[in-house]
Amino acid sequence: FFGSDSIVGEFWNRTGYLVFPNPIKRGSMFFGKYAASMTAGAIVISIMYAGVVGLSLVTAHGIDGQLGMSYLFAIEYLGAAIAIGYLVSSVLKGTTGAIILTFFMLFLILPIIDAISMFANTEIPASLTYSSGVIVNILQTPYPQSVTESTPYGTFSTFYADPTTAAVVMFLWAVGALAVSLILFKRKQMLG
């Protein structure tokens, strides 16, 4: 929600007529918007983690040793998720569609693909939502291992992303989506 309408908003709300004539490169504007989106998202995540730390100190008299790693993975996932939002925003023409498609991609479409992979017994390490599971899994001791179970309905597997692979996948999603959306943003023109 912090980035899914950032690009298309300039065109949909017609604010681009005021912003684009200024002597500022579109790339600088793009990365400024991305930095602002990341800052807003990081503040929300930091508040949530601060609450978890406070509750852990009060109830358990300590915090998990991997909480810092979980926080870093959450920030990395935020960067990738916002990059996906920017990519969708660069392609679509309306703000509502960009917000809805980004939401559905991250909370419905990609998780459905992950669920299908469980029943197909095929791990998809390149999935962003699969890799994001490391945010919670890193807090488990020992780190969970992938398992395959047989049930009356068939065999299915539960996969857990390797932390190093997950970090690389989330980074590649962020860089790839940002690169494509930057190219599309630079080419997009104000119409009407």
Side-chain angles (χ1 to χ4, degrees), residues 9-10 41 43 73 75-76 106-107 118 120 124 140 159 169 180:
E10 298 292 346
I43 288 171
F73 280 125
I75 295 295
E76 185 178 23
L106 295 173
F107 291 100
M118 286 176 39
I124 307 175
Q140 297 181 40
F159 299 108
V169 167
V180 173

Side-chain angles (χ1 to χ4, degrees), residues 38 41-42 45-46 48-49 67-81 132 134-136 170:
M38 281 296 295
I45 289 174
S46 297
M48 193 270 308
Y49 271 84
L67 190 64
M69 286 299 295
S70 174
Y71 176 76
L72 292 176
F73 280 125
I75 295 295
E76 185 178 23
Y77 176 71
L78 172 70
S132 71
V134 75
I135 296 168
V136 174
M170 288 189 282

Side-chain angles (χ1 to χ4, degrees), residues 8-164:
V8 74
E10 298 292 346
F11 300 92
W12 181 256
N13 298 327
R14 306 285 188 227
T15 55
Y17 286 119
L18 300 171
V19 177
F20 294 146
N22 291 326
I24 185 170
K25 292 182 180 179
R26 281 199 181 189
S28 299
M29 184 184 307
F30 179 87
F31 287 111
K33 286 175 165 287
Y34 184 75
S37 299
M38 281 296 295
T39 301
I43 288 171
V44 171
I45 289 174
S46 297
I47 290 170
M48 193 270 308
Y49 271 84
V52 168
V53 166
L55 289 172
S56 294
L57 290 173
V58 169
T59 58
H61 306 294
I63 58 171
D64 189 283
Q66 295 295 324
L67 190 64
M69 286 299 295
S70 174
Y71 176 76
L72 292 176
F73 280 125
I75 295 295
E76 185 178 23
Y77 176 71
L78 172 70
I82 289 176
I84 294 291
Y86 272 54
L87 178 59
V88 170
S89 183
S90 296
V91 172
L92 296 183
K93 294 183 179 185
T95 57
T96 305
I99 292 170
I100 291 171
L101 183 56
T102 302
F103 178 82
F104 279 130
M105 278 190 65
L106 295 173
F107 291 100
L108 189 66
I109 297 169
L110 291 175
I112 286 174
I113 293 170
D114 295 341
I116 291 171
S117 76
M118 286 176 39
F119 292 103
N121 298 316
T122 305
E123 185 177 17
I124 307 175
S127 169
L128 177 61
T129 51
Y130 168 69
S131 295
S132 71
V134 75
I135 296 168
V136 174
N137 296 335
I138 197 76
L139 299 173
Q140 297 181 40
T141 304
Y143 192 83
Q145 300 297 314
S146 299
V147 294
T148 300
E149 299 177 43
S150 293
T151 67
Y153 303 106
T155 304
F156 70 95
S157 299
T158 304
F159 299 108
Y160 298 96
D162 174 67
T164 305

